[in-house]
Amino acid sequence: MIEIKTLKEFSLADQHSFGFSGYHAHEIYQLSRTQGKNEFTIKLTRVKLEQPYIKRWTYTREDTDHYAELIAENLSLGAFEKDRLIGVAIAQKRAWNNSLWVDYIEVADSHRKMGIGTLLLTKIAFTATEQNIRLIELETQSTNTLAIDFYLKNGFEICGIHSCLYDPASVPEQEKAILLGKLMT
């Protein structure tokens, strides 16, 4: 049985125990833009890839320190099977726009496609409602179509695109930030 409860800590060892951290995509969203005298259009088009796009995240001590600060707010969640951590949703409240920013969400490779991510998002939404937070926000990559599909299925909508967020020195050109949100009111 999976239990979702407030996350107290998330170590480098915890993250490494999740196995493969990243995704394989067979489709991506390509960004195109047009600009006319009275119009500016941004378009995302889902396209199939000839070769899979493989993204692997690295997790560092700086990440551990950053997540520890967010976890201290008591808004982050862990998914536990018995006493084993198998998923996290690390979030922070943003008072300026009364939102809950989901900074990091991941489920152990061995437990993906079992509904655990949905359990985490459902509990995040419950927490947001309890605290009268109006919006849950998060970001993913235009190359991560599986994540985009997952968030859309869970009531989020695409609410923005940030074409300059990622450093082109470390991220391929086709990767753009997709911002998603779920209004709670």
Side-chain angles (χ1 to χ4, degrees):
M1 183 171 130
I2 306 302
E3 186 177 5
I4 307 297
K5 48 189 180 179
T6 302
L7 188 64
K8 299 299 181 191
E9 64 180 340
F10 185 57
S11 69
L12 198 55
D14 289 330
Q15 197 283 330
H16 289 172
S17 76
F18 284 3
F20 176 73
S21 186
Y23 57 91
H24 295 79
H26 298 280
E27 298 177 310
I28 64 169
Y29 281 100
Q30 286 184 334
L31 175 71
S32 59
R33 296 175 260 209
T34 58
Q35 185 171 353
K37 182 177 180 181
N38 297 314
E39 178 179 87
F40 187 80
T41 304
I42 296 175
K43 180 179 175 182
L44 289 173
T45 304
R46 192 167 180 148
V47 297
K48 290 188 184 274
L49 299 172
E50 289 182 23
Q51 298 292 322
Y53 181 87
I54 301 170
K55 177 74 172 196
R56 178 179 291 276
W57 292 296
T58 56
Y59 189 77
T60 66
R61 174 61 56 200
E62 290 79 24
D63 295 317
T64 301
D65 294 343
H66 171 67
Y67 294 145
E69 290 175 17
L70 302 185
I71 290 167
E73 294 182 24
N74 290 318
L75 295 169
S76 299
L77 302 172
F80 294 85
E81 185 176 60
K82 298 185 179 159
D83 288 331
R84 180 176 165 225
L85 182 66
I86 56 167
V88 295
I90 300 176
Q92 75 179 124
K93 185 172 182 179
R94 293 185 169 174
W96 72 272
N97 70 345
N98 191 24
S99 70
L100 190 64
W101 177 260
V102 179
D103 197 81
Y104 182 75
I105 185 167
E106 185 173 11
V107 173
D109 194 28
S110 60
H111 287 73
R112 291 182 186 159
K113 306 270 187 210
M114 298 172 66
I116 296 165
T118 296
L119 290 172
L120 288 164
L121 287 180
T122 299
K123 181 67 174 178
I124 286 274
F126 179 77
T127 300
T129 300
E130 266 189 335
Q131 297 199 15
N132 294 316
I133 294 171
R134 71 173 193 89
L135 172 69
I136 302 171
E137 301 176 277
L138 53 85
E139 168 268 326
T140 195
Q141 302 80 18
S142 58
T143 54
N144 196 349
T145 53
L146 293 174
I148 294 167
D149 292 345
F150 167 73
Y151 294 126
L152 294 173
K153 183 181 103 178
N154 281 281
F156 285 76
E157 61 184 59
I158 295 174
C159 55
I161 302 163
H162 195 323
S163 63
C164 303
L165 183 65
Y166 305 137
D167 181 355
S170 59
V171 173
E173 171 63 25
Q174 75 264 32
E175 218 173 283
K176 306 299 181 197
I178 305 296
L179 307 172
L180 295 106
K182 182 176 184 175
L183 287 169
M184 302 309 298
T185 55

